[in-house]
Amino acid sequence: FFNRRPSMAPIAVSKPNAFWVQKWLKDHGIDSLLADAVNKAVEGRSKDPAASLSFYFQKRSKRNGEIKSMTARTIYDPHMRPVLEITTKCVFNGGERLGSTAVGPVRVPPPPPPEEGGEPPEDTPQAQEERLNAAYAAAVELINGELGKALVGQHAKKVLEVDDRIEHAALLHDHAPKLMVSIAAAEAGATLSEEPLHIFVARFNKELLDTAAGNIGGGVAVKVGDEEEPTQAEKDAKAEAERKAAEKNKPPSNPGDPDPAPPAELRVRLPAPVFPGISSPGGMEAKVRMTNFQLMGKRDRPYKESLPQLVRVHKKMGELLREKFPDDAAAGAPLDDGSYGCRFETADEVFAFLGEAVGACELSLGDDVTVLLTMSATGFFKENTGEVGSYMYSPEEGADVEADAWPEWVVGLLGKHSCVSAVVDPVAREDYETWRKLRQ
């Protein structure tokens, strides 16, 4: 019955990229989400765990509150006057929920202007009724069509984004009921927030005012209108009035009271200066694959003290390199960035050399001078290609560390060399799981 050739090869299905899987799990907090869902089901002693879990995830959906549809129709109030009814439905727990039903009048456009040279037409009650009916028909058509479709997918609680979309969609339509549509969407947001409309709008306005200074570039007061600059006499009178008010409100003091404590001294923390040290090109071709061992001064130490120390150590490093590698003419010559190229086999040898140079200057490595270690782990990270058992880090030639054990290796390195005061890029950029373990 099936026309299939026996020799037809099976379709190859590519496996998901492990790094992107880790990133997706981390970005969406899947671990904590699953844990919370299970805890809620256990706490409620649910007899239908699948339904409980399903309800929990639907309730946590970020789509809850998205506008699913907005429709309008013309109805009549108790006085038989036409009004516009706008119904907003939103996504809620996997289904839909009535967000709001807003009712209000539509602004009727004025009568058309008279023709050039002619007299204005008589605005009879029949003409007014025709304009009224036409205005309501146009509003219903706009909301059920272009304007309503433009709001589908917008979150009802995000008032500013909804209003921007309303303004853009109604740009080419004169007398569009933008205010009514905005109120209908805001009422849906208030319903989903389970609070009255005036509280919802007031809270949004407060958030807008709190962030307005940043939105307009700093909130600098701008002089508007024809305000005049106060004279110097007015400024002096105002300052004197403020001084007298402060003196009047000052609490009385007894002669035996101790003097008030002086204000606490403001300490300014100086950043630690960084100086070139030993650098490696990195990558799998280098023996030491960590790219930079830079010299750092102590934090909060005056620059006039720490910078001369770093300069002395840097010069001493060049002298020692020329002594250790006499056959290499470039050994003691700084590179373009001021650092010396790495001639050592291991990172331990680099740290030992730095300790020797610092000690020769009668300083202490780890106290007077520390090390900023740039590991650039992405350069010596081996991905799992299917042939290798696991992901590996190879910080030195002949040293392979599995990714699961890499955080312990880094901690061990820092414990062995306490002179390291800062580390840069200790984990490959795409290895999210190891980043998480190292932070823990």
Side-chain angles (χ1 to χ4, degrees), residues 143-162:
I143 294 173
N144 291 337
E146 183 179 351
L147 186 53
K149 292 178 181 178
L151 294 180
V152 173
Q154 294 294 311
H155 205 289
K157 295 182 182 180
K158 298 182 178 179
V159 180
L160 199 59
E161 296 179 9
V162 171

Side-chain angles (χ1 to χ4, degrees), residues 264-288:
E265 180 183 358
L266 178 63
R267 291 196 60 188
V268 179
R269 301 203 64 185
L270 298 175
V274 179
F275 220 73
I278 299 293
S279 64
S280 168
M284 292 300 182
E285 293 76 17
K287 294 182 178 180
V288 177

Side-chain angles (χ1 to χ4, degrees), residues 171-210:
L171 189 62
L172 302 179
H173 300 275
D174 295 333
H175 312 294
K178 295 184 287 186
L179 179 59
M180 271 291 299
V181 175
S182 177
I183 292 176
E187 190 171 346
T191 301
L192 295 169
S193 300
E194 298 181 351
E195 57 186 0
L197 176 61
H198 68 281
I199 299 295
F200 176 79
V201 174
R203 181 168 52 80
F204 165 73
N205 287 336
K206 182 179 183 304
E207 294 175 358
L208 190 62
L209 290 173
D210 290 343

Side-chain angles (χ1 to χ4, degrees), residues 72-78 80-86 101-104 136 140:
R73 65 174 182 169
T74 301
I75 63 175
Y76 291 87
D77 65 8
M80 295 305 296
R81 291 175 299 194
V83 290
L84 189 67
E85 180 190 70
I86 302 177
T101 301
V103 178
Y136 274 92
V140 170

Side-chain angles (χ1 to χ4, degrees), residues 213-261:
N215 293 337
I216 64 175
V220 179
V222 179
K223 183 179 178 181
V224 296
D226 298 328
E227 299 176 0
E228 295 183 359
E229 184 73 18
T231 63
Q232 186 61 41
E234 292 173 341
K235 293 180 180 179
D236 295 341
K238 182 179 179 181
E240 181 65 18
E242 293 176 351
R243 186 190 65 78
K244 289 182 178 180
E247 189 69 25
K248 181 179 179 182
N249 296 328
K250 183 178 179 181
S253 58
N254 297 321
D257 290 343
D259 294 334

Side-chain angles (χ1 to χ4, degrees), residues 276-280 291-294 314 333-341:
I278 299 293
S279 64
S280 168
T291 56
N292 237 319
F293 301 76
Q294 293 173 291
H314 186 266
L335 303 176
D336 292 339
D337 62 353
S339 64
Y340 296 102

